[in-house]
Amino acid sequence: MITTDLTPGSPCWLDLGAPDVPAAAAFYGAVLGWEYESMSDGAGEGEETEGEGGAFRKDGKVVGGLGRLTEEGARSAWMIYYTVTDADATTQAVERAGGTVRVAPRDLGDWGRMAQYSDPLGGQFAVWQPGKNTGFELADEPGSLSWTELYTTDAAAAKEFYGGIFGWEFGDMPMPGGGGTYSLITPTGLPEERMQGGLMELGAQALALANGRPYWHPVFAVDDCDAAVARVTENGGSVQMGPEDAEGVGRLAVCLDPSNADFVLLTPARS
């Protein structure tokens, strides 16, 4: 369960790098009911008001960010941020563990301090050291982040790396139909009900979205998975898998937005 108390090692933010910011804002508004608030709102007449980025809100609460994709050769994707108490110390730990610093720690005004990395196998993630801003304001509710997931080519190596960086605890469970093992992630010292994500091992051929490299993606809660999937396809997105029922989890679908950024829609199983 992802919450907004944002303890160390828990997801606290996510943002999308998109080649067309207005188009992405319209797509996620249609699919998830998000309202987009541009950082450029209030620009003078004739000025670009949506070109660079801003924040998504659901029922008035901030749920994530959106920015223009500027990195040459990069794919459009969601970046997930995890809370840390010291971004500089985390950066040193990432480097010692064989990871790569993509964006060195830097202050974003008095909001907080951020950094972005790649794990040793290429999976990209980020951290946030809170200042005035602790992160998103809504989680584990329809239209917000409810889970995070890593597809990786080496589950054991991923657990060693992320366990060392964040102190995460892992619990393994068999996939249905002999489909391998799924590892559940819980922040250190927290009870099982605070599980926040999972990781699973896949062959490089199954990771074509990232040219065979591991990648993280978000899972968004929705009231009706089938209806949400219909909105995805009606608005130029596509479906990689589902909708289908997962025992004990709920009804889910793996989707792509019009720029091929991946995400999952999940209607949780009733407890």
Side-chain angles (χ1 to χ4, degrees):
M1 178 180 184
I2 293 176
T3 75
T4 55
D5 65 6
L6 307 179
T7 58
S10 66
C12 64
W13 184 249
L14 73 166
D15 54 36
L16 173 68
D20 185 331
V21 167
F27 173 81
Y28 287 97
V31 172
L32 293 171
W34 288 349
E35 297 176 351
Y36 176 66
E37 182 178 65
S38 171
M39 291 186 296
S40 301
D41 282 348
E45 184 177 352
E47 294 181 32
E48 176 61 65
T49 59
E50 293 185 298
E52 295 301 321
F56 286 119
R57 292 181 181 270
K58 175 69 174 177
D59 300 328
K61 297 181 178 180
V62 175
V63 292
L66 170 62
R68 186 167 62 88
L69 184 65
T70 58
E71 183 179 346
E72 188 174 350
R75 76 178 184 98
S76 183
W78 285 95
M79 179 70 72
I80 300 173
Y81 293 70
Y82 296 94
T83 297
V84 296
T85 57
D86 188 330
D88 296 272
T90 301
T91 297
Q92 294 171 11
V94 166
E95 292 179 314
R96 286 195 301 269
T100 302
V101 180
R102 301 184 67 250
V103 178
R106 66 183 187 187
D107 293 324
L108 297 182
D110 58 0
W111 287 6
R113 190 164 174 80
M114 62 81 70
Q116 294 184 358
Y117 317 105
S118 293
D119 68 30
L121 297 169
Q124 297 181 2
F125 67 105
V127 298
W128 180 251
Q129 178 184 329
K132 284 186 175 181
N133 189 308
T134 57
F136 45 55
E137 299 171 344
L138 185 71
D140 209 39
E141 297 288 344
S144 67
L145 184 69
S146 64
W147 193 252
T148 65
E149 194 165 61
L150 173 66
Y151 290 165
T152 181
T153 50
D154 189 332
K159 287 192 281 188
E160 181 179 359
F161 174 79
Y162 289 102
I165 300 301
F166 294 122
W168 288 345
E169 298 171 359
F170 301 95
D172 292 343
M173 59 177 285
M175 296 284 287
T181 300
Y182 192 87
S183 298
L184 299 161
I185 300 169
T186 306
T188 183
L190 294 184
E192 284 190 357
E193 58 263 28
R194 285 296 304 274
M195 287 177 184
Q196 64 191 30
L199 65 86
M200 61 184 299
E201 184 172 309
L202 296 170
Q205 69 278 4
L207 305 176
L209 273 179
N211 296 318
R213 294 190 307 273
Y215 59 88
W216 287 92
H217 59 211
V219 178
F220 299 120
V222 291
D223 285 319
D224 185 329
C225 183
D226 293 74
V229 166
R231 294 193 294 271
V232 167
T233 56
E234 289 165 2
N235 288 277
S238 58
V239 181
Q240 288 192 302
M241 184 192 76
E244 62 183 44
D245 294 320
E247 185 178 355
V249 176
R251 189 160 177 80
L252 59 85
V254 181
C255 303
L256 299 176
D257 71 17
S259 296
N260 285 336
D262 58 303
F263 61 96
V264 176
L265 299 173
L266 171 67
T267 300
R270 294 181 180 179
S271 56

